[in-house]
Amino acid sequence: MSDPRTTMQNDWEPNPPSSSSVPWWAIERTSEVPPSYQGYAAEPEPEPAPAPRHMRSVPSEPVAPPPAAPSVDITPTYRGAVVARLRRFSFLHARHAWERRRRDPLAPHGVALFYSEPSGRLYDQLRTATRIFLADDEAASLPHLLYGLAQHAREGYSADPRFDPRTSMCNKTDSMSYEAVFAGIGVVTLDTPYGDWVTAQRTARSEADLPGRCYARLIDGTMLVLDRGGELQFNALTVDCSVRDGNTQYGTPSMHWRWNPALAETPESDPIYHVWRWMGEIGRIVDHGSRPR
């Protein structure tokens, strides 16, 4: 993965459950019933001889447990903030892509990393780091773009203990404290159910006609799909969420928020499967790499 290339303007965005089951290899498996010794007198076992002094173990100091990974509480309010941020990111990305479609064009995809600021108020805990890309073969396919970012993150954490995806993988980052905790990943794209980016450039009259699609995968397993319509779609926003929460009335009258648990069961034959797959891989690598070492 090549180094990020800054393509954003200063006004791009304001700086404002694991399973507890016992693993199979830890389970003792026996196929025979142990023999019964009823009726036999049990003979006392001889006391073991003491080990030589130089072989006796020296009690060691108790080892402190490793620090627990910081937790993130993904609330309905936080999900709503993610949706609002992705909608804005999608619109700004479409504006810049439209303005630069004939000179130094941009790729139709962008990526956002979500963080939770514990010191912020409940409705103001979301922080983001975003990245857009110049148009090239590497950034043309969204699944392959995400695959490349996953490789970049894996290599970065392996080579440098100070690796920070907010600066090494993104080109715009909100101001946040050292206590900010990674909370998920988002994607914006101009390839939508209404048409791909190549077609949209030929048919749109202005940036207002450009629809967008967004994906989000949060640390608690939440999966979100946002379809942002252009003027032909009355600027509507449809939100599909894999978990049921209290956001059915969130946002403006043009927003339709619906519960869609099928998002978590996307079949491998669906092209979107690989988008979810590599978003999940990036999230796993960044979450693991961001924990205290």
Side-chain angles (χ1 to χ4, degrees), residues 5 82 90 113 119 134 137 150 160 189-190 216 224 248 266 285 290:
R5 292 174 286 179
V82 166
S90 175
L113 301 179
S119 61
L134 291 175
D137 293 340
D160 185 359
T189 179
L190 296 171
L224 294 158
T248 53
T266 304
I285 294 170
S290 301

Side-chain angles (χ1 to χ4, degrees), residues 190-206:
L190 296 171
D191 292 336
T192 73
Y194 307 110
D196 59 19
W197 171 229
V198 175
T199 303
Q201 292 179 75
R202 297 197 304 264
T203 59
R205 298 165 297 176
S206 69

Side-chain angles (χ1 to χ4, degrees), residues 1-6 131 133 138 152 167-171:
M1 191 71 187
S2 57
D3 291 333
R5 292 174 286 179
T6 303
R131 178 178 179 183
F133 306 82
E138 187 179 8
H152 180 52
T167 55
S168 300
M169 293 173 55
C170 301
N171 43 30

Side-chain angles (χ1 to χ4, degrees), residues 109-127:
H109 318 297
V111 174
L113 301 179
F114 302 124
Y115 289 80
S116 177
E117 180 62 79
S119 61
R121 298 180 180 179
L122 180 62
Y123 57 85
D124 186 33
Q125 293 182 334
L126 175 64
R127 301 291 185 271

